[in-house]
């Protein structure tokens, strides 16, 4: 088990689309849902709200027009992240992995310090990751939890073999949950644990060295 961890803030982006109706397994309709994960809905309105937050932040930036142009497939990216978060949380629960607020805050503070401060850190993630300020903590939580899951699985995510161990666990978890996605957003790729129709023209990974922390319950 590795006491040192790397926290990667990553965003995948994809197709921007509206989704008035989702037909899930058994032809059961879920009006207004972008996806259903383990029987729980992810609403279209949730995706739209996240996209609006990013667009508002981008339009306020000096290079706003270019940022908007470079992130034209934002809705699918947000849905992809929300689905992945539910899969990751279930996998973590199954493995007995927990994180707390202090771990997220500590990781964010160190990442911001290494980026020149909180303002520069937020600007970088808006430009390179399509994240509004209010979405940063969720992205950090995702990566901290993913790293702790890898530790629980005895996997070193810095090696291809370790990455495959984590991917296999997430694949198993997503298959157990069942992922129904509105076709307008794409289809879920269980093997890759992402939206299968996602086009990823801009993916940025910002890697930071996380501090040593003792495991604590949430």
């Amino acid at each position: 088990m590795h006491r040192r961890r790397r926290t990667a803030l990553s965003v995948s982006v994809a197709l921007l689309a509206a989704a008035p109706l989702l037909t899930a397994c058994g032809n059961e309709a879920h009006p207004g849902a972008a996806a259903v994960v383990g029987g729980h809905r992810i609403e279209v309105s949730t995706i739209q709200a996240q996209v609006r937050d990013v667009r508002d932040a981008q339009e306020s930036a000096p290079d706003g027009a270019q940022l908007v142009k470079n992130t034209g497939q934002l809705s699918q990216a947000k849905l992809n992240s929300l689905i992945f978060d539910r899969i990751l949380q279930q996998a973590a629960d199954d493995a007995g992995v927990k994180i707390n607020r202090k771990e997220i805050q500590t990781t964010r503070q160190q990442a911001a310090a290494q980026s020149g401060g909180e303002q520069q850190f937020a600007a970088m993630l808006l430009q390179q990751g399509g994240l509004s300020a209010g979405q940063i903590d969720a992205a950090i939580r995702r990566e901290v939890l993913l790293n702790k899951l890898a530790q629980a699985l005895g996997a070193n995510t810095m090696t291809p073999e370790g990455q495959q161990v984590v991917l296999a666990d997430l694949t198993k978890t997503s298959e157990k949950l069942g992922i129904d996605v509105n076709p307008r957003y794409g289809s879920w790729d269980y093997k890759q644990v992402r939206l299968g129709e996602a086009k990823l023209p801009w993916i940025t990974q910002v890697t930071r060295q996380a501090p040593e922390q003792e495991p604590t319950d949430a």
Side-chain angles (χ1 to χ4, degrees):
M1 183 176 295
H2 301 274
R3 293 295 301 276
R4 290 278 182 182
R5 299 192 298 277
R6 289 189 179 275
T7 298
L9 306 183
S10 57
V11 172
S12 7
V13 216
L15 185 63
L16 178 62
L21 181 68
L22 170 68
T23 301
C25 296
N27 295 320
E28 181 185 358
H30 299 273
V36 177
V37 182
H40 298 283
R41 297 160 58 95
I42 296 174
E43 303 291 346
V44 171
S45 59
T46 301
I47 307 302
Q48 293 172 338
Q50 289 203 2
V51 170
R52 281 197 303 272
D53 286 346
V54 175
R55 293 299 184 221
D56 288 346
Q58 289 175 331
E59 289 168 2
S60 299
D63 52 348
Q66 188 62 40
L67 291 179
V68 172
K69 181 179 178 181
N70 290 345
T71 55
Q73 299 176 332
L74 193 54
S75 284
Q76 195 172 354
K78 296 306 176 185
L79 178 58
N80 187 81
S81 293
L82 288 171
I83 294 173
F84 184 84
D85 283 347
R86 295 192 181 189
I87 295 168
L88 176 59
Q89 185 61 61
Q90 184 62 58
D93 290 344
D94 292 345
V97 172
K98 296 181 180 180
I99 62 174
N100 61 29
R101 181 65 184 168
K102 183 178 180 180
E103 291 175 286
I104 297 170
Q105 290 175 334
T106 300
T107 301
R108 176 167 180 165
Q109 289 168 0
Q110 183 166 5
Q114 294 183 8
S115 300
E118 180 67 30
Q119 185 174 354
Q120 291 87 340
F121 183 53
M124 177 183 65
L125 292 181
L126 175 64
Q127 180 181 40
Q128 299 180 351
L131 294 172
S132 68
Q135 295 168 3
I136 295 175
D137 276 1
I140 293 175
R141 183 186 189 280
R142 180 181 310 126
E143 299 302 336
V144 172
L145 189 59
L146 184 61
N147 283 327
K148 292 190 74 171
L149 173 63
Q151 290 180 7
L153 296 173
N156 179 3
T157 56
M158 302 304 292
T159 68
E161 294 80 10
Q163 293 167 10
Q164 287 301 313
V165 169
V166 177
L167 182 62
D169 187 70
L170 294 172
T171 294
K172 179 182 68 176
T173 302
S174 64
E175 289 174 342
K176 179 177 70 175
L177 287 172
I179 316 297
D180 293 311
V181 178
N182 187 307
R184 295 193 180 189
Y185 287 93
S187 60
W188 190 253
D189 185 333
Y190 286 94
K191 291 183 178 180
Q192 297 299 318
V193 196
R194 65 173 175 84
L195 285 174
E197 298 302 317
K199 306 299 181 184
L200 309 174
W202 53 283
I203 304 177
T204 301
Q205 187 174 72
V206 183
T207 302
R208 295 290 180 261
Q209 183 72 34
E212 291 188 2
Q213 297 167 347
E214 293 298 329
T216 51
D217 292 342

